[in-house]
Amino acid sequence: MRKARLWGLLWMLFVPEIQAATKLFEEKCTLAEGQTLTVSCPTNTNMYSNSQKAWQRLKDNGEVQTLAITEGSSQVQKGKYFLEDIPSEGMLQVRMTNLQVEDSGLYRCVILGPSDPIILFYPVRLVVTKNSLGTPDSDEYPCQISVQNPTLPPVTTKLRPRPRPRPVTQLVPTSADRLSSPGLTVTPTNVTHITRAPGISIIIPAACGLLSKTLVFIGLFAVTQRSFAS
Amino acid sequence: MSRRCALLAWALLALLGLGAAQDCGPIVSRREWRALASKCSRRLRQPVRYVVVSHTAGSVCDTPASCLRQAQNVQHYHVRTLGWCDVGYNFLIGEDGLVYEGRGWNTIGAHSGPTWNPIAIGISFMGNYMDRAPPARALRAAQNLLACGAARGYLTPNYEVKGHRDVQQTLSPGDQLYDIIQQWPHYRSV
């Protein structure tokens, strides 16, 4: 009876932890009104140097709105949208200036072709807030921020531990590893940090890992109690 | 019976502990390969999202002694001839199956141009891999290094591996090595 219970507990060790799917991953960027969104989408020096690239918005109703296209030229400015295609470096730089709350939504860099567009980098979930944001934390790529509004008071960059989406079995990085000097093009003021993964893909593996390890420890405790008692 | 149960339980606990720690494998430190002191100061923003794999296109080495000399040679060329602050790569991989510490995880390297250097870790296989492939132990060393980097938070969990020719106009990392890294799980062509 005791043995059966122990073996039942040990099976929990082999509960596989669900790996977060990277394909449906969204890069989350939170910025304040007036700021500029910068996104770097890797293209490939060899494959797509001749292809058209575009910056698109994905509406809630599934509609895809193309905001700017590189029409054979390397730089395109269309209103607040700026695209720079650098095939020799294999990179497409996108900038959206003077962000407004209405700009919040889902965007993506694509290569346009005869069939379905090829999605570069990851879809970008942009959130534009009305007020100036809290602690600045500009250690993210490529959601770089450049402050356009000169009335924002300068605030020194503060470091704070970010929630990290990783399975619990792995070593937790020390905060010293994530010390970053202020960016090259960025004056970091009043911008929140950026989370990487949707919350649900952090919660499930973390909960599974925690659950299995808790059960193992309870089992071990019970076993050692009994061995001391008998 | 209860003693055996306890023994089994503690064995499993030990296994669990081992599973949690990520072995980074042996990395030959700068001091060990007698590197010149670095004069580089630009720090990489952590965690890094990209890894660029290149080859030195230079001499090959297959023993710890010869690879140590080759690492020095590469640094010598970069620092003395090209005038850089240090060897350009963040890490070098030898055919001896060892990883040689270059600029490391924290310092911006000089391997893939101004767009990619600030956002990528550059690892370079010592040798020319157009017509031949690196041995399995060298590939293992590189993959262990990257897995360790991800576990320690130097790389993002979903870091992407690129070939040098994907981000610069170059033949590096050589046809054979490029074919191999395209099969790596973290490789992404765009």
Side-chain angles (χ1 to χ4, degrees):
Chain A
M1 179 57 191
R2 229 182 287 158
K3 204 169 189 176
R5 207 182 301 168
L6 179 64
W7 283 116
L9 282 171
L10 288 174
W11 274 112
M12 291 307 293
L13 268 177
F14 301 103
V15 171
E17 293 181 357
I18 301 161
Q19 294 293 320
T22 52
K23 291 288 188 293
L24 302 171
F25 190 91
E26 283 175 8
E27 179 78 5
K28 188 164 177 215
C29 299
T30 307
L31 293 164
E33 277 203 329
Q35 292 189 314
T36 298
L37 170 70
T38 308
V39 181
S40 300
C41 295
T43 55
N44 187 301
T45 53
N46 303 311
M47 276 203 274
Y48 301 114
S49 48
N50 265 359
S51 308
Q52 283 191 318
K53 289 103 183 169
W55 178 244
Q56 296 178 330
R57 181 171 185 169
L58 295 130
K59 299 272 173 80
D60 296 329
N61 58 6
E63 183 198 324
V64 175
Q65 182 190 13
T66 299
L67 303 164
I69 305 182
T70 60
E71 302 271 9
S73 64
S74 60
Q75 280 188 18
V76 164
Q77 176 96 46
K78 199 162 178 213
K80 67 194 318 175
Y81 306 107
F82 174 74
L83 291 186
E84 186 177 8
D85 183 19
I86 318 168
S88 61
E89 301 267 302
M91 192 66 90
L92 175 71
Q93 302 278 16
V94 179
R95 274 199 280 286
M96 275 174 68
T97 55
N98 194 24
L99 292 170
Q100 302 298 311
V101 175
E102 308 82 66
D103 292 324
S104 302
L106 191 61
Y107 295 83
R108 64 185 193 186
C109 299
V110 295
I111 307 257
L112 297 174
S115 53
D116 290 331
I118 298 162
I119 300 172
L120 301 174
F121 184 52
Y122 296 107
V124 174
R125 173 73 62 188
L126 176 64
V127 174
V128 186
T129 62
K130 207 116 184 86
N131 311 314
S132 64
L133 303 171
T135 335
D137 188 344
S138 61
D139 65 350
E140 294 292 331
Y141 267 89
C143 261
Q144 297 161 331
I145 341 92
S146 79
V147 175
Q148 298 295 300
N149 189 341
T151 62
L152 284 171
V155 176
T156 52
T157 311
K158 269 201 272 173
L159 299 158
R160 88 184 140 137
R162 287 184 297 118
R164 296 193 57 82
R166 53 175 71 245
V168 181
T169 45
Q170 291 176 332
L171 287 171
V172 176
T174 62
S175 53
D177 290 341
R178 280 178 271 122
L179 272 169
S180 61
S181 50
L184 308 162
T185 56
V186 165
T187 319
T189 63
N190 296 347
V191 175
T192 59
H193 71 279
I194 296 138
T195 53
R196 254 178 225 289
I200 197 73
S201 61
I202 310 168
I203 292 169
I204 290 177
C208 274
L210 217 61
L211 179 70
S212 55
K213 282 156 186 67
T214 311
L215 285 165
V216 166
F217 279 115
I218 293 171
L220 291 170
F221 185 71
V223 163
T224 43
Q225 283 284 66
R226 287 207 179 110
S227 64
F228 280 128
S230 63
Chain B
M1 184 239 119
S2 57
R3 190 181 292 184
R4 214 162 6 122
C5 257
L7 206 65
L8 175 67
W10 286 115
L12 280 162
L13 178 63
L15 267 171
L16 201 69
L18 275 176
Q22 185 78 25
D23 181 23
C24 271
I27 296 181
V28 180
S29 66
R30 296 178 64 93
R31 174 184 234 112
E32 218 181 309
W33 62 267
R34 299 194 283 273
L36 299 167
S38 167
K39 291 191 259 182
C40 305
S41 54
R42 293 169 73 208
R43 285 183 73 87
L44 266 170
R45 291 173 163 193
Q46 308 278 344
V48 178
R49 202 193 280 270
Y50 300 107
V51 175
V52 177
V53 178
S54 58
H55 70 180
T56 57
S59 307
V60 87
C61 57
D62 60 357
T63 64
S66 57
C67 283
L68 190 145
R69 268 195 301 280
Q70 189 56 27
Q72 290 177 327
N73 288 343
V74 177
Q75 188 192 37
H76 205 264
Y77 175 60
H78 287 179
V79 171
R80 291 273 150 82
T81 307
L82 299 180
W84 293 352
C85 53
D86 190 6
V87 66
Y89 310 109
N90 297 95
F91 295 94
L92 297 108
I93 316 285
E95 288 202 8
D96 54 350
L98 296 176
V99 176
Y100 291 79
E101 181 191 6
R103 297 198 188 186
W105 295 111
N106 296 310
T107 307
I108 292 181
H111 46 80
S112 308
T115 306
W116 287 91
N117 285 339
I119 59 173
I121 290 281
I123 70 173
S124 192
F125 285 75
M126 293 194 272
N128 190 316
Y129 299 104
M130 283 299 289
D131 302 319
R132 49 184 289 276
R137 58 181 176 271
L139 298 166
R140 258 199 315 273
Q143 290 195 288
N144 283 343
L145 173 73
L146 300 183
C148 168
R152 296 266 171 96
Y154 299 116
L155 300 173
T156 60
N158 56 350
Y159 71 90
E160 291 172 14
V161 172
K162 307 268 179 198
H164 198 196
R165 58 172 67 172
D166 292 332
V167 303
Q168 295 283 277
Q169 311 274 43
T170 177
L171 288 173
S172 171
D175 291 340
Q176 300 274 332
L177 180 52
Y178 186 60
D179 285 345
I180 292 171
I181 64 169
Q182 284 186 301
Q183 308 305 315
W184 285 6
H186 281 263
Y187 178 80
R188 190 175 172 193
S189 55
V190 274

